[in-house]
Amino acid sequence: MINLQNISYIHLSKDLLFRDINLTVNKHDKIALIGNNGIGKSTLLKILARELQPSSGQLSVDTEPYYVPQIFGQFNHLTIAQALRIENKLNALEEILNGNTSEENFNLLNDDWTIENRYSEALNYWQLNDLDLTQKIETLSGGQNTKVFLAGIFIHQPELVLLDEPSNHLDISGRQLLYNFIQSTKSTLIVVTHDRKLLNLLDTVCELNKHGIKVYGGNYDFYTEQRQIENNALNQDIQSKKKELRKAKEVEQETLERQQKKNARGKHKQKKSGLARILMNTYRNKAENSTAKSKSVHSKKIDDITLELQKLRSSLPDIDKMKFDFDNSSLHKGKILFSATNINFSYDTQPLWKENLNFQITSGERIALKGDNGSGKTTLIKLILGGLEPQTGTIYRAENKSVYIDQDYSLLDNKLKVYEQAQQVNISALQEHEIKIRLSRFLFTRDFWDKSCTDLSGGERMRLMLCCLIISKQSPDIIIFDEPTNNLDIQNVEILTAAINEYQGTIIVVSHDETFLEEINIKRTIELGQ
């Protein structure tokens, strides 16, 4: 069905994105395409969708792909019917049913007499019954946009479907519909996603990197097991190479000490035998040359081993290179931080929640805040943080330090460079080299220090946010994360997970990523309904 041979792609800026991509996709395959942010997963999907041309290589796709992009802004000016490419058929069908049996209408319909039923069933499945096909795409929410284009799969019934982060904007019920579709469809799938529940529904994982693509014949759990085996072997190689380096340095030291003793004994004998000065100088030069040659041989061996060790270390996953060092919250566990008694909030006189809310939040808890889109999660966060007051009921807030982190990590100042952002939160007067050490621990090497925060990827913004929390040395009592994994690749989700698990304060998380919630040890859920 799909055959990629030596596919490469070079940006207009002449930067190589990836090269030598070789992949065969057979009918009914369900493939996960994973890789770090910026490696080119979306670009490869666009090449498969024929929206981009590869810089080199050969591409063969023997069917018309149906492509659901990650971003829908390019469709804003279209109606739903136009974006789904069904407007002309529906209009033609209506004209025919009204008696206009022109050849043009029959050509437009192309014998697709069930088009109306299919789009009705598709909208019903994706819970879009309240939408009008004449609505503009720009009037829809992110979740509705995604569902509209997913509905197009039911309408067009393609053999090949390309999905780019399809679960990003879906709430829990929407994600479940997506999972059901993935399991039941007979279409061939290639899916870019960091949703690990979705990844486990796919049969094959393909990991994209700059130099090619590696195929793992199993779902995401199988992939992680294989990667763990590879990482264990890599760590063993690193330990072995460190021993080899240590031994080489010891041998060098021993050899030089023996040579120095030998030279000293020779010099002593020469003086005792009364050799002429010119002859003594000749012997001394020979001894020095011999020492220099021996040192050069050992230095080259040490340099070679050091280079090999650096290459091995560079292959380590980023999470293994990082160090988290959160200060603990000063509040004792179990202290009541927030209490709500019969609270509600109204927009246009309509209460947000059918039933008033009653709950407490205590220090050290890990809480998931759940509810469908529009259920009032953002409003409740504002009530917890003090940005809003309830219109019904009472609340109690204990004095505490809290931080709200949204999915864009907008606490960062886009006008600042990376080092300037770190310096801005340096209230404990760390020296410049200490700040740079901490930035390096979060993978911000020298090349990043003068980079603008606005140019950072989602994962880089997340890591800089964590680094700033650590540099500030004022660990908050409460951290509220609002869809923190939406713009992160799998590797950066793992980094965020590790950081949260090291933090000892109170965590409140809004997330539809069930795997993420399990891994950060969420113990309680506040469920919002309307």
Side-chain angles (χ1 to χ4, degrees):
M1 176 167 279
I2 298 177
N3 190 26
L4 302 174
Q5 291 183 312
N6 299 318
I7 294 292
S8 299
Y9 188 80
I10 300 173
H11 283 303
L12 294 175
S13 62
K14 307 300 182 184
D15 291 333
L16 175 72
L17 190 58
F18 50 71
R19 68 183 179 198
D20 298 331
I21 303 299
N22 293 282
L23 181 66
T24 298
V25 179
N26 298 311
K27 197 169 185 179
H28 305 308
D29 281 352
K30 295 182 180 181
I31 290 175
L33 181 61
I34 67 172
N36 293 344
N37 281 351
I39 202 63
K41 302 183 295 296
S42 295
T43 299
L44 186 55
L45 277 195
K46 288 178 181 177
I47 289 173
L48 294 174
R50 300 193 182 99
E51 291 196 359
L52 284 177
Q53 289 295 318
S55 302
S56 62
Q58 292 184 328
L59 167 66
S60 171
V61 182
D62 66 6
T63 187
E64 182 66 28
Y66 184 88
Y67 172 50
V68 179
Q70 184 177 357
I71 299 169
F72 302 98
Q74 66 271 34
F75 304 106
N76 278 347
H77 64 290
L78 300 177
T79 66
I80 293 174
Q82 289 169 340
L84 289 175
R85 305 194 307 277
I86 60 174
E87 182 183 50
N88 290 339
K89 279 190 177 183
L90 290 175
N91 289 341
L93 177 61
E94 185 178 4
E95 286 285 311
I96 292 170
L97 293 177
N98 287 334
N100 184 356
T101 56
S102 69
E103 184 179 353
E104 180 185 5
N105 282 331
F106 278 103
N107 287 337
L108 286 171
L109 184 60
N110 194 29
D111 284 338
D112 192 357
W113 297 99
T114 62
I115 179 67
E116 198 170 39
N117 290 336
R118 291 203 313 279
Y119 96 72
S120 179
E121 289 171 4
L123 295 186
N124 181 61
Y125 178 87
W126 291 106
Q127 300 172 343
L128 298 172
N129 294 330
D130 55 336
L131 294 187
D132 188 317
L133 288 179
T134 61
Q135 274 183 256
K136 289 286 184 71
I137 291 293
E138 64 186 358
T139 66
L140 306 182
S141 68
Q144 287 174 322
N145 266 321
T146 301
K147 286 181 178 181
V148 162
F149 281 85
L150 289 171
I153 301 171
F154 286 50
I155 296 169
H156 294 287
Q157 301 178 346
E159 291 185 5
L160 173 62
V161 177
L162 310 174
L163 302 176
D164 195 353
E165 298 288 4
S167 64
N168 252 15
H169 299 289
L170 298 181
D171 56 25
I172 292 172
S173 62
R175 287 190 180 211
Q176 191 56 55
L177 291 173
L178 174 64
Y179 301 151
N180 294 343
F181 161 71
I182 294 293
Q183 288 177 296
S184 63
T185 184
K186 302 299 182 185
S187 296
T188 303
L189 299 177
I190 300 179
V191 185
V192 171
T193 183
H194 64 265
D195 180 340
R196 285 163 291 179
K197 189 169 182 179
L198 173 52
L199 285 169
N200 271 328
L201 301 178
L202 303 168
D203 305 325
T204 303
V205 172
C206 294
E207 185 180 53
L208 180 66
N209 61 58
K210 187 173 284 191
H211 305 294
I213 199 164
K214 188 170 183 179
V215 179
Y216 293 83
N219 66 6
Y220 184 72
D221 282 346
F222 175 82
Y223 161 79
T224 54
E225 289 171 6
Q226 294 302 305
R227 284 301 305 269
Q228 188 59 54
I229 292 170
E230 292 171 7
N231 288 339
N232 289 343
L234 177 59
N235 278 306
Q236 287 179 356
D237 289 344
I238 288 172
Q239 294 305 316
S240 176
K241 194 60 67 176
K242 285 166 71 175
K243 288 181 182 177
E244 187 180 344
L245 180 59
R246 190 162 55 245
K247 183 66 176 174
K249 289 180 177 179
E250 289 172 357
V251 170
E252 179 191 41
Q253 186 63 30
E254 291 169 2
T255 303
L256 290 177
E257 287 175 357
R258 282 199 305 271
Q259 188 69 43
Q260 287 167 357
K261 289 177 181 177
K262 182 179 177 182
N263 292 346
R265 285 196 303 270
K267 189 174 182 181
H268 180 68
K269 285 180 180 179
Q270 291 161 14
K271 281 185 178 179
K272 205 170 179 182
S273 64
L275 288 175
R277 181 181 295 274
I278 189 168
L279 199 53
M280 286 179 65
N281 287 340
T282 300
Y283 283 129
R284 187 183 70 242
N285 290 338
K286 283 183 177 179
E288 289 174 352
N289 289 337
S290 177
T291 300
K293 186 176 181 181
S294 176
K295 188 172 183 179
S296 175
V297 169
H298 285 286
S299 293
K300 185 178 186 312
K301 184 174 182 180
I302 288 171
D303 288 344
D304 289 344
I305 296 172
T306 301
L307 185 61
E308 291 170 10
L309 182 58
Q310 288 173 346
K311 286 181 179 178
L312 288 171
R313 281 176 169 158
S314 69
S315 300
L316 279 171
D318 284 345
I319 193 169
D320 289 349
K321 304 173 191 174
M322 299 181 66
K323 294 182 181 179
F324 305 108
D325 188 22
F326 281 112
D327 286 346
N328 290 333
S329 167
S330 59
L331 300 179
H332 66 80
K333 287 194 182 298
K335 176 181 172 64
I336 296 175
L337 301 180
F338 181 88
S339 179
T341 305
N342 292 317
I343 67 166
N344 216 319
F345 194 87
S346 298
Y347 292 100
D348 298 327
T349 72
Q350 181 67 35
L352 189 53
W353 303 295
K354 287 182 180 178
E355 296 182 5
N356 295 340
L357 303 182
N358 292 275
F359 64 92
Q360 286 184 342
I361 297 172
T362 58
S363 181
E365 280 198 286
R366 298 193 162 219
I367 301 170
L369 187 56
K370 291 186 177 182
D372 289 342
N373 292 340
S375 61
K377 299 186 293 293
T378 301
T379 299
L380 184 54
I381 287 172
K382 290 177 179 177
L383 288 166
I384 292 170
L385 293 174
L388 288 176
E389 295 297 331
Q391 295 164 343
T392 302
T394 59
I395 60 175
Y396 161 78
R397 298 185 194 92
E399 186 175 341
N400 65 77
K401 299 190 295 290
S402 57
V403 172
Y404 172 68
I405 299 176
D406 62 17
Q407 59 185 287
D408 296 318
Y409 300 93
S410 51
L411 281 177
L412 299 177
D413 188 341
N414 286 332
K415 297 190 292 294
L416 299 179
K417 296 177 181 177
V418 168
Y419 176 78
E420 292 171 340
Q421 177 67 63
Q423 180 63 56
Q424 189 179 65
V425 299
N426 180 25
I427 60 176
S428 57
L430 292 173
Q431 297 296 309
E432 179 178 337
H433 73 278
E434 292 177 304
I435 294 176
K436 289 178 176 176
I437 286 172
R438 283 159 178 77
L439 285 170
S440 296
R441 286 178 184 170
F442 280 80
L443 313 179
F444 293 105
T445 54
R446 185 185 302 273
D447 294 339
F448 279 92
W449 296 342
D450 289 328
K451 191 173 183 178
S452 172
C453 289
T454 193
D455 294 331
L456 299 180
S457 69
E460 289 164 349
R461 291 177 71 83
M462 179 273 295
R463 285 190 274 109
L464 183 56
M465 183 80 244
L466 293 175
C467 185
C468 287
L469 287 177
I470 287 171
I471 287 173
S472 70
K473 283 194 171 295
Q474 283 198 326
S475 189
D477 303 308
I478 304 174
I479 302 181
I480 299 178
F481 289 99
D482 192 353
E483 295 290 1
T485 63
N486 260 14
N487 298 314
L488 304 184
D489 58 27
I490 293 169
Q491 185 181 55
N492 279 300
V493 171
E494 291 173 350
I495 289 170
L496 178 61
T497 301
I500 289 176
N501 285 335
E502 185 143 322
Y503 170 71
Q504 298 301 310
T506 305
I507 293 282
I508 301 172
V509 184
V510 176
S511 177
H512 300 305
D513 187 337
E514 294 293 331
T515 305
F516 173 68
L517 294 176
E518 288 173 15
E519 292 187 347
I520 62 172
N521 300 308
I522 291 296
K523 300 299 183 187
R524 185 158 74 96
T525 298
I526 297 175
E527 189 89 40
L528 298 179
Q530 289 179 289

